[in-house]
Amino acid sequence: MSEARQVTKEMIQKTLSYRYYIYFAVALAYFLVYFHRTSTAVMATDLTAAFGIAPTAIGLFGSMYFYAYAIGQLPAGILADKWGIRNTMSVFVLIAGAGALLFAAAQTFTMALIARFLVGLGVGFIYVPAMKFLADWFKKNEFATYSGVLLAVGNVGSLASTAPLVALIAAIGWRSSMSAVGVASLVVAVLLFLVVRNKPVNVGGATIEEIQELPPASAQPIGIGASVGALVKSYTFWTVAAMFFVLYGTIMGFQGLWASPYLMNVYGLTKAQAGAILMMIPIGMIFGCPIAGIVADKLIPSKKRVVQIGVIVNILTWIPLVFMIDSMSLGTIRILLFVYGFFAGWFVVMYANLKEHVDLRMSGTATGFLNFFVFAGGAIYQQVMGVIVEAAPVTNKVIATSGFKNAFLLCLVTLIAALLFYSTQKEHQDKVVVQ
């Protein structure tokens, strides 16, 4: 245990002031995470033309981000602890930027896949270190607020990947657009290295424990193997992991890839028109993410119940997408997608749901391990939905409505099944501990 030291007002002020510089840099990085994640949707037709590929290949391209992201989750926690959040985030945002530049220059589909994998790997090392930063620099009663705001900023990145990206592509082409994004990523990497500091003591500040006058943590840390072993044995963990796998998989399968082709093929919209409508999803999430945190912290004490409400309303939005798939007005679709995004954003409470069931010493590992399943879901749903869409008839280069309907039906059915399984979770029981 470290010895007690004299904490001054100046030390406290240094922590409370400097953390916002770090937060700004981290938020910029997280903006890029979501931008890269959902940008494929509006580039689908460009990629089809550039590389001469089919819907299944587009699904594979989109999923490469998620496979790489999933692989990075556990290592991200280890590097954040051992190497520090500053080095981890700056180096891997640099990798993401290099991947974006490689993608812009790719002349073959294989090279594009490699580039997409590098982008996913790079941004896959941002969220877990960001959560460690919040834990080290913000008070416990500030954590949910600032994590919710960070997720809202991420969804601004999703918003930027709709109509604004469509406009940029129309002006300078998709390759130049991705080059610009790559350069912006490199700039953010440099900013992270210059601004971010691992702990408040690195700027002469007081620790959060000292500010809150809490005793410093003295418990023996739990190894990653023991933590993962305990999680694997936990029924509660699997209820959260399964629900998150399906919910986020359907979100990324729809918002991240197939929503734009759906609107263009079924409703005959241009890419710009589809992008303008798809903006409603991230706009909904920008409001839904922080509001869900407030509801979970202030209004409904049960994290499980909050998640259930969000998933139920999300399921209700899939019903017209399946059974009224080609008969809705564009105004109705806009409202539907806003509601979809608002309640899809309630997935953020699942992290808190898991956190209340695990030993705090293993919360970082639990988050990383959970994220593996979250982003594996994103990868698998994009590919599987691509296979379903490709099986539909194509007339004059227009994919039949049946392809999208069958893909959306898969999302609806699996969401209902996952919700039923998640609902078997026993609240405040099955605490994950290491013997």
Side-chain angles (χ1 to χ4, degrees):
M1 181 183 298
S2 60
E3 295 182 4
R5 62 174 183 159
Q6 185 66 36
V7 177
T8 65
K9 290 182 179 180
E10 288 75 13
M11 293 168 63
I12 294 174
Q13 187 58 42
K14 282 183 179 179
T15 297
L16 298 182
S17 298
Y18 194 82
R19 62 183 184 170
Y20 292 108
Y21 296 108
I22 302 177
Y23 191 90
F24 176 76
V26 171
L28 286 178
Y30 205 60
F31 173 95
L32 292 172
V33 171
Y34 269 66
F35 181 90
H36 283 298
R37 186 175 300 169
T38 55
S39 60
T40 306
V42 300
M43 291 192 294
T45 54
D46 295 295
L47 300 181
T48 299
F51 299 109
I53 53 179
T56 301
I58 289 291
L60 174 62
F61 176 81
S63 70
M64 292 302 287
Y65 172 104
F66 295 97
Y67 285 127
Y69 200 108
I71 290 170
Q73 294 313 289
L74 277 176
I78 296 171
L79 284 181
D81 288 337
K82 304 296 184 182
W83 203 21
I85 60 173
R86 178 194 189 195
N87 289 335
T88 301
M89 286 195 284
S90 58
V91 167
F92 281 91
V93 171
L94 190 71
I95 291 173
L101 292 173
L102 180 63
F103 171 48
Q107 297 302 312
T108 66
F109 185 58
T110 299
M111 186 59 67
L113 289 177
I114 294 172
R116 181 68 172 173
F117 185 89
L118 285 176
V119 169
L121 185 67
V123 297
F125 283 73
I126 301 304
Y127 183 77
V128 175
M131 292 302 100
K132 182 175 176 59
F133 155 65
L134 292 178
D136 288 339
W137 288 79
F138 289 85
K139 302 173 185 178
K140 287 185 177 181
N141 62 354
E142 297 174 322
F143 186 90
T145 299
Y146 284 94
S147 60
V149 172
L150 188 64
L151 285 162
V153 171
N155 279 290
V156 174
S158 287
L159 185 64
S161 73
T162 55
L165 178 58
V166 170
L168 185 63
I169 292 174
I172 63 176
W174 72 268
R175 291 186 184 275
S176 295
S177 297
M178 289 300 101
S179 293
V181 173
V183 171
S185 300
L186 299 182
V187 172
V188 172
V190 173
L191 181 66
L192 286 166
F193 186 78
L194 294 176
V195 174
V196 173
R197 295 296 180 267
N198 295 323
K199 303 282 186 180
V201 294
N202 296 137
V203 296
T207 67
I208 290 301
E209 290 84 2
E210 290 170 334
I211 292 173
Q212 298 185 110
E213 297 182 350
L214 298 173
S218 59
Q220 184 69 25
I222 303 173
I224 185 171
S227 298
V228 172
L231 290 166
V232 168
K233 296 175 184 177
S234 167
Y235 183 83
T236 294
F237 173 79
W238 290 114
T239 63
V240 178
M243 185 71 259
F244 222 154
F245 175 92
V246 174
L247 178 59
Y248 204 73
T250 58
I251 292 170
M252 286 299 103
F254 182 66
Q255 179 195 3
L257 188 56
W258 292 112
S260 181
Y262 155 61
L263 293 174
M264 293 172 67
N265 283 267
V266 175
Y267 285 89
L269 303 184
T270 65
K271 189 192 312 180
Q273 291 170 329
I277 291 177
L278 290 179
M279 288 176 65
M280 301 307 295
I281 298 178
I283 289 174
M285 285 190 175
I286 288 170
F287 291 100
C289 287
I291 288 176
I294 294 171
V295 170
D297 287 339
K298 306 295 184 183
L299 300 179
I300 302 177
S302 169
K303 304 295 190 296
K304 174 186 171 183
R305 298 289 180 236
V306 175
V307 173
Q308 286 175 313
I309 292 170
V311 175
I312 288 171
V313 179
N314 184 257
I315 287 173
L316 292 176
T317 63
W318 278 103
I319 293 175
L321 283 171
V322 173
F323 298 105
M324 300 171 59
I325 187 169
D326 59 353
S327 59
M328 294 181 286
S329 70
L330 296 183
T332 298
I333 293 175
R334 287 188 177 91
I335 295 171
L336 185 69
L337 293 187
F338 176 84
V339 175
Y340 173 93
F342 184 91
F343 285 97
W346 287 36
F347 73 77
V348 299
V349 180
M350 273 192 273
Y351 289 108
N353 181 209
L354 178 62
K355 186 178 179 181
E356 66 184 359
H357 287 277
V358 302
D359 188 314
L360 290 179
R361 294 175 295 166
M362 56 189 291
S363 60
T365 300
T367 300
F369 193 48
L370 176 62
N371 272 354
F372 172 82
F373 295 96
V374 174
F375 293 97
I380 290 171
Y381 268 84
Q382 286 196 345
Q383 276 196 273
V384 173
M385 290 173 72
V387 172
I388 295 172
V389 170
E390 187 173 352
V394 178
T395 304
N396 295 325
K397 297 183 180 182
V398 176
I399 301 171
T401 301
S402 61
F404 298 101
K405 182 174 183 176
N406 292 335
F408 296 170
L409 181 61
L410 169 73
C411 295
L412 175 61
V413 171
T414 53
L415 274 168
I416 293 172
L419 177 62
L420 291 174
F421 177 54
Y422 178 77
S423 297
T424 65
Q425 178 192 121
K426 296 181 179 179
E427 295 186 76
H428 310 301
Q429 295 184 30
D430 190 29
K431 187 82 170 181
V432 182
V433 296
V434 176
Q435 303 297 329

